[in-house]
Amino acid sequence: MPRLIIEECTRSGAHLSYHPVDRFPLRIGRSLENDLVLADPYVSPLHLIIDDGGDAWMLIDLGSENGTFVGRGDKLSGPMCAGSGDRITIGKTILRLWSSDHPVEPTLHLPSPRGFARRAVTPAAALASLIITSGIMLLQQRLDTEKQTSLASLIAGSIPFLTVPLLWAGLWAVAGFIVRRTTRFSLQLLVGNSALLCYLALSILVEYIDYATGNVAVADAFQYAGDAVLSMLLLFISITLAGGAPDLRRIVVSVIVGGGVVAAIAVSEHAESGENRLVPVYSHTLKPLFGKLSPASSLDQFIGESGKIFRGEGKPAAGGTR
């Protein structure tokens, strides 16, 4: 029979190490007397024996405290045969049995060495996105401010928002380093800045939907749906860059966490009835697009122009009367 190779994996299936087997029976457990010693506190000192069964390998549990599970959850209650590719769970340790003649994945081609210019693309893109985000945040602050505000005040008001993608990128960079020994901070920052820009664009779009429809409920529904989709995408991309989880698990976590957070916010905002809200919400409060960027008319000019209408000097609209 071909040689047995035991692969030790993480709970998510990521490879940790290989253990070639030279002789049988193979004793596995936490005790140092075993042929394969596992530093897992949930594994018994003498946990499992793997023996040569001819065409397969024989698994024998040695009365372990937490049991031995084969495949996705079948508990080993007696001697059982296992073949190449089978998964064994003992304690919190995942082992896979491989035959030495088991087919392997095709060899991947090495990418060509990247020069400085190519290596600098991602950090440059992340920096550019941060600058663009800063500019849009300043513009948004300017449009939302009733009074004339200095540039320093606008920058100070934008800083808390700009720290969000930086903190997000730092958090996932640490997670990526723990899981895959690579940070990808620039990519995470680029993703965080892009998400912030999308949130800003969504908020502006929602204001104009509210202004056009005159229906707060429609605008809120659009806002929550957009926030949920953006949150799920942001979380899925960040988890993918950090690595360490299968595709299906990434999708499930992204949908549950991203959608759950938005749903919780929506429920908390609408927990009270409209009559009991301390700050009522009304439609048609939006000013014309970029109206504050055009020169404002003075009060005297407004009164002068209005006086012409009351004195009968203004030109009536076509088909109208004075």
Side-chain angles (χ1 to χ4, degrees):
M1 185 175 181
R3 189 183 187 189
L4 171 63
I5 309 294
I6 297 180
E7 180 186 14
E8 188 174 352
C9 309
T10 64
R11 300 286 290 182
S12 61
H15 168 77
L16 289 177
S17 60
Y18 285 114
H19 304 280
V21 178
D22 297 320
R23 61 186 180 86
F24 292 98
L26 177 75
R27 298 175 301 171
I28 302 175
R30 192 160 39 87
S31 172
L32 300 179
E33 300 176 357
N34 292 286
D35 302 301
L36 178 56
V37 180
L38 300 176
D40 183 345
Y42 299 94
V43 172
S44 298
L46 300 176
H47 197 111
L48 176 69
I49 283 181
I50 300 180
D51 205 352
D52 188 357
D55 295 334
W57 298 293
M58 188 68 63
L59 308 180
I60 304 173
D61 187 272
L62 299 177
S64 60
E65 183 71 22
N66 294 311
T68 301
F69 299 87
V70 180
R72 291 293 179 178
D74 296 331
K75 188 172 183 178
L76 193 64
S77 57
M80 179 183 291
C81 292
S84 182
D86 284 348
R87 165 178 167 155
I88 303 173
T89 303
I90 55 176
K92 289 191 174 182
T93 301
I94 306 297
L95 301 177
R96 282 192 180 275
L97 306 183
W98 299 106
S99 172
S100 57
D101 60 357
H102 194 97
V104 296
E105 296 291 335
T107 304
L108 299 178
H109 293 284
L110 284 172
S112 58
R114 299 193 304 170
F116 173 77
R118 294 187 62 186
R119 291 197 303 269
V121 167
T122 302
L127 180 60
S129 68
L130 185 61
I131 295 174
I132 293 173
T133 305
S134 304
I136 294 178
M137 287 295 302
L138 291 176
L139 178 61
Q140 183 73 8
Q141 291 280 338
R142 174 68 182 88
L143 295 177
D144 290 343
T145 304
E146 295 293 336
K147 300 179 181 179
Q148 294 291 336
T149 309
S150 64
L151 180 60
S153 299
L154 293 176
I155 293 176
S158 302
I159 288 177
F161 295 96
L162 296 175
T163 57
V164 173
L166 290 171
L167 292 175
W168 181 269
L171 174 66
W172 285 105
V174 172
F177 181 78
I178 294 173
V179 175
R180 302 175 61 175
R181 292 298 184 268
T182 179
T183 59
R184 294 187 174 182
F185 177 80
S186 298
L187 278 175
Q188 295 285 7
L189 181 58
L190 183 60
V191 170
N193 286 328
S194 301
L196 182 57
L197 288 175
C198 291
Y199 280 117
L200 290 175
L202 178 64
S203 64
I204 295 174
L205 180 60
V206 167
E207 289 180 351
Y208 281 92
I209 291 177
D210 185 13
Y211 181 74
T213 62
N215 192 323
V216 178
V218 172
D220 284 348
F222 192 88
Q223 176 80 63
Y224 295 136
D227 287 344
V229 172
L230 287 176
S231 299
M232 293 179 205
L233 286 175
L234 173 62
L235 195 56
F236 179 79
I237 295 174
S238 295
I239 295 175
T240 301
L241 291 176
D247 291 339
L248 180 59
R249 190 173 300 177
R250 296 175 199 169
I251 296 174
V252 172
V253 171
S254 302
V255 171
I256 293 177
V257 176
V261 169
V262 175
I265 294 175
V267 170
S268 64
E269 289 182 352
H270 292 272
E272 298 179 347
S273 61
E275 293 80 5
N276 296 330
R277 285 183 183 171
L278 297 178
V279 182
V281 180
Y282 301 100
S283 301
H284 300 295
T285 59
L286 187 69
K287 296 183 179 180
L289 181 63
F290 303 136
K292 298 190 70 175
L293 299 182
S294 60
S297 301
S298 64
L299 180 60
D300 294 337
Q301 182 180 355
F302 173 77
I303 294 176
E305 295 293 334
S306 302
K308 296 179 181 180
I309 299 177
F310 290 107
R311 290 194 301 269
E313 300 176 6
K315 293 182 180 181
T321 58
R322 294 195 179 190

